[in-house]
Amino acid sequence: MIIVLFGKPGAGKGTQAPLLAAALGVPTLATGDELRAAIRAGSALGLEAKAYMDRGDLVPDDVILGIIKQALGEPRAAGGVLLDGVVRTVPQAEGLEKVVTELGRQVDAVLVFDIDDDEIVRRLAGRTVCESCQTPYTGREPGSKCDKCGGTLIRRKDDEPDAIRNRLAVYEKQTAPVLDWYRKNGTKVAVIDAVGPVQDVTARALGVLAS
Ligand code: AP5
């Protein structure tokens, strides 16, 4: 089972990914988390990605396709994987399709978490994330501790107002067209109302996958 989690920045992909993964018994791959880990490690990948991410721009397709190819080839992905924010341009969708086809697999569904821009700005303005395990929180101050791993909560640089505006514009221009690509490709695309209690959103997503 290969599922693509899709949606605007702040739609709740990172919140839903571990919940859905636990329910489905598959691991997650989040390119945003991979890139932030590379930045923390000071690797060449991290150095290349940082400026793009701080501005809210997309990291080049070849970098993302390298991450996808490596991760899907790993044994832990053999039983399936949830791809959180991994596909954000049409070339990335085409590249993922090539990788899964070579592996004799397919993308089973694209889950689109639907939310309006006002709610996104409200959510991201109040978000902190664990700098170690990347768990997002609402209403928790920077410097407090992560419930999951004890790491320190920080504000993301790309959650500043200018970067949020840019991320939303980038989504409309470069990422939204991916949905038409998947529809034309014949892949199941399901739009899920992402507003409401977290567990309700999870239930809606699982309901769609079961149907
Ligand atoms: P990434 O880290 O993936 O950021 P994003 O897509 O902008 O998504 P976010 O993490 O901001 O939001 P989310 O949808 O996960 O929401 P969350 O669950 O945190 O990517 C960062 C950057 O990396 C990109 O800008 C780009 O530069 C680069 N990158 C990554 N992948 C790439 C790719 N494929 N190609 C090119 N570049 C790439 O929730 C947000 C807040 O809302 C939290 O505070 C949460 O607690 C709260 N919340 C969640 N659900 C609910 C709910 N139901 N009700 C109320 N509050 C809620």
mmCIF file of all heavy atoms in Angstrom, residues 10-32:
data_model
loop_
_atom_site.group_PDB
_atom_site.id
_atom_site.type_symbol
_atom_site.label_atom_id
_atom_site.label_comp_id
_atom_site.label_asym_id
_atom_site.label_seq_id
_atom_site.Cartn_x
_atom_site.Cartn_y
_atom_site.Cartn_z
ATOM 1 N N GLY A 10 0.338 23.177 6.523
ATOM 2 C CA GLY A 10 -0.507 23.369 7.700
ATOM 3 C C GLY A 10 -1.838 22.653 7.637
ATOM 4 O O GLY A 10 -2.659 22.763 8.551
ATOM 5 N N ALA A 11 -2.071 21.876 6.582
ATOM 6 C CA ALA A 11 -3.357 21.175 6.450
ATOM 7 C C ALA A 11 -3.500 20.051 7.473
ATOM 8 O O ALA A 11 -4.607 19.566 7.714
ATOM 9 C CB ALA A 11 -3.496 20.617 5.037
ATOM 10 N N GLY A 12 -2.378 19.616 8.056
ATOM 11 C CA GLY A 12 -2.441 18.551 9.057
ATOM 12 C C GLY A 12 -1.835 17.238 8.598
ATOM 13 O O GLY A 12 -2.032 16.197 9.235
ATOM 14 N N LYS A 13 -1.052 17.273 7.527
ATOM 15 C CA LYS A 13 -0.438 16.033 7.009
ATOM 16 C C LYS A 13 0.475 15.394 8.065
ATOM 17 O O LYS A 13 0.411 14.191 8.305
ATOM 18 C CB LYS A 13 0.396 16.329 5.742
ATOM 19 C CG LYS A 13 -0.389 17.002 4.632
ATOM 20 C CD LYS A 13 0.469 17.315 3.425
ATOM 21 C CE LYS A 13 1.577 18.307 3.657
ATOM 22 N NZ LYS A 13 1.133 19.687 3.958
ATOM 23 N N GLY A 14 1.310 16.238 8.689
ATOM 24 C CA GLY A 14 2.267 15.711 9.677
ATOM 25 C C GLY A 14 1.581 15.225 10.945
ATOM 26 O O GLY A 14 2.098 14.350 11.635
ATOM 27 N N THR A 15 0.421 15.796 11.255
ATOM 28 C CA THR A 15 -0.349 15.334 12.418
ATOM 29 C C THR A 15 -0.997 13.986 12.101
ATOM 30 O O THR A 15 -0.989 13.058 12.922
ATOM 31 C CB THR A 15 -1.452 16.375 12.763
ATOM 32 O OG1 THR A 15 -0.810 17.613 13.079
ATOM 33 C CG2 THR A 15 -2.311 15.911 13.926
ATOM 34 N N GLN A 16 -1.553 13.874 10.910
ATOM 35 C CA GLN A 16 -2.282 12.654 10.540
ATOM 36 C C GLN A 16 -1.356 11.494 10.182
ATOM 37 O O GLN A 16 -1.724 10.328 10.387
ATOM 38 C CB GLN A 16 -3.213 12.941 9.347
ATOM 39 C CG GLN A 16 -4.362 13.879 9.683
ATOM 40 C CD GLN A 16 -5.292 13.309 10.749
ATOM 41 O OE1 GLN A 16 -5.508 12.102 10.818
ATOM 42 N NE2 GLN A 16 -5.836 14.170 11.589
ATOM 43 N N ALA A 17 -0.170 11.789 9.647
ATOM 44 C CA ALA A 17 0.679 10.699 9.124
ATOM 45 C C ALA A 17 0.946 9.596 10.159
ATOM 46 O O ALA A 17 0.707 8.419 9.868
ATOM 47 C CB ALA A 17 1.980 11.269 8.564
ATOM 48 N N PRO A 18 1.419 9.922 11.381
ATOM 49 C CA PRO A 18 1.693 8.824 12.326
ATOM 50 C C PRO A 18 0.434 8.094 12.772
ATOM 51 O O PRO A 18 0.482 6.887 13.044
ATOM 52 C CB PRO A 18 2.384 9.522 13.507
ATOM 53 C CG PRO A 18 2.103 10.964 13.348
ATOM 54 C CD PRO A 18 1.817 11.230 11.913
ATOM 55 N N LEU A 19 -0.703 8.815 12.835
ATOM 56 C CA LEU A 19 -1.957 8.173 13.261
ATOM 57 C C LEU A 19 -2.433 7.186 12.197
ATOM 58 O O LEU A 19 -2.835 6.052 12.501
ATOM 59 C CB LEU A 19 -3.028 9.244 13.518
ATOM 60 C CG LEU A 19 -2.648 10.296 14.577
ATOM 61 C CD1 LEU A 19 -3.683 11.412 14.629
ATOM 62 C CD2 LEU A 19 -2.526 9.619 15.944
ATOM 63 N N LEU A 20 -2.374 7.623 10.947
ATOM 64 C CA LEU A 20 -2.784 6.735 9.851
ATOM 65 C C LEU A 20 -1.800 5.574 9.713
ATOM 66 O O LEU A 20 -2.197 4.429 9.477
ATOM 67 C CB LEU A 20 -2.865 7.525 8.541
ATOM 68 C CG LEU A 20 -3.950 8.608 8.494
ATOM 69 C CD1 LEU A 20 -3.807 9.459 7.242
ATOM 70 C CD2 LEU A 20 -5.333 7.954 8.524
ATOM 71 N N ALA A 21 -0.517 5.883 9.873
ATOM 72 C CA ALA A 21 0.501 4.829 9.730
ATOM 73 C C ALA A 21 0.299 3.753 10.795
ATOM 74 O O ALA A 21 0.405 2.557 10.510
ATOM 75 C CB ALA A 21 1.897 5.441 9.840
ATOM 76 N N ALA A 22 -0.013 4.187 12.029
ATOM 77 C CA ALA A 22 -0.225 3.206 13.107
ATOM 78 C C ALA A 22 -1.455 2.355 12.799
ATOM 79 O O ALA A 22 -1.449 1.132 12.997
ATOM 80 C CB ALA A 22 -0.395 3.934 14.436
ATOM 81 N N ALA A 23 -2.509 3.012 12.294
ATOM 82 C CA ALA A 23 -3.741 2.267 11.990
ATOM 83 C C ALA A 23 -3.533 1.295 10.836
ATOM 84 O O ALA A 23 -4.121 0.212 10.816
ATOM 85 C CB ALA A 23 -4.862 3.250 11.661
ATOM 86 N N LEU A 24 -2.695 1.675 9.884
ATOM 87 C CA LEU A 24 -2.508 0.849 8.680
ATOM 88 C C LEU A 24 -1.314 -0.099 8.791
ATOM 89 O O LEU A 24 -1.146 -0.983 7.945
ATOM 90 C CB LEU A 24 -2.315 1.760 7.457
ATOM 91 C CG LEU A 24 -3.504 2.679 7.115
ATOM 92 C CD1 LEU A 24 -3.090 3.737 6.098
ATOM 93 C CD2 LEU A 24 -4.679 1.855 6.587
ATOM 94 N N GLY A 25 -0.474 0.124 9.809
ATOM 95 C CA GLY A 25 0.696 -0.751 9.997
ATOM 96 C C GLY A 25 1.776 -0.552 8.952
ATOM 97 O O GLY A 25 2.442 -1.510 8.554
ATOM 98 N N VAL A 26 1.945 0.697 8.501
ATOM 99 C CA VAL A 26 3.017 0.993 7.532
ATOM 100 C C VAL A 26 3.849 2.164 8.056
ATOM 101 O O VAL A 26 3.364 2.958 8.866
ATOM 102 C CB VAL A 26 2.456 1.338 6.126
ATOM 103 C CG1 VAL A 26 1.744 0.156 5.509
ATOM 104 C CG2 VAL A 26 1.537 2.553 6.183
ATOM 105 N N PRO A 27 5.096 2.308 7.596
ATOM 106 C CA PRO A 27 5.906 3.454 8.016
ATOM 107 C C PRO A 27 5.547 4.710 7.223
ATOM 108 O O PRO A 27 4.773 4.646 6.264
ATOM 109 C CB PRO A 27 7.333 3.005 7.685
ATOM 110 C CG PRO A 27 7.166 2.080 6.534
ATOM 111 C CD PRO A 27 5.837 1.404 6.705
ATOM 112 N N THR A 28 6.112 5.843 7.648
ATOM 113 C CA THR A 28 5.894 7.097 6.928
ATOM 114 C C THR A 28 7.215 7.581 6.329
ATOM 115 O O THR A 28 8.288 7.257 6.831
ATOM 116 C CB THR A 28 5.375 8.211 7.864
ATOM 117 O OG1 THR A 28 6.373 8.469 8.851
ATOM 118 C CG2 THR A 28 4.088 7.820 8.541
ATOM 119 N N LEU A 29 7.089 8.347 5.267
ATOM 120 C CA LEU A 29 8.233 9.102 4.740
ATOM 121 C C LEU A 29 7.757 10.535 4.561
ATOM 122 O O LEU A 29 6.787 10.781 3.836
ATOM 123 C CB LEU A 29 8.704 8.547 3.387
ATOM 124 C CG LEU A 29 9.728 9.444 2.671
ATOM 125 C CD1 LEU A 29 11.056 9.476 3.429
ATOM 126 C CD2 LEU A 29 9.960 8.973 1.229
ATOM 127 N N ALA A 30 8.409 11.479 5.245
ATOM 128 C CA ALA A 30 8.074 12.902 5.109
ATOM 129 C C ALA A 30 9.325 13.616 4.597
ATOM 130 O O ALA A 30 10.333 13.679 5.306
ATOM 131 C CB ALA A 30 7.632 13.483 6.450
ATOM 132 N N THR A 31 9.248 14.142 3.378
ATOM 133 C CA THR A 31 10.450 14.788 2.828
ATOM 134 C C THR A 31 10.840 16.017 3.653
ATOM 135 O O THR A 31 12.022 16.295 3.826
ATOM 136 C CB THR A 31 10.251 15.165 1.343
ATOM 137 O OG1 THR A 31 8.886 15.461 1.099
ATOM 138 C CG2 THR A 31 10.707 14.072 0.427
ATOM 139 N N GLY A 32 9.836 16.752 4.186
ATOM 140 C CA GLY A 32 10.170 17.904 5.035
ATOM 141 C C GLY A 32 11.000 17.472 6.234
ATOM 142 O O GLY A 32 12.004 18.108 6.577
#
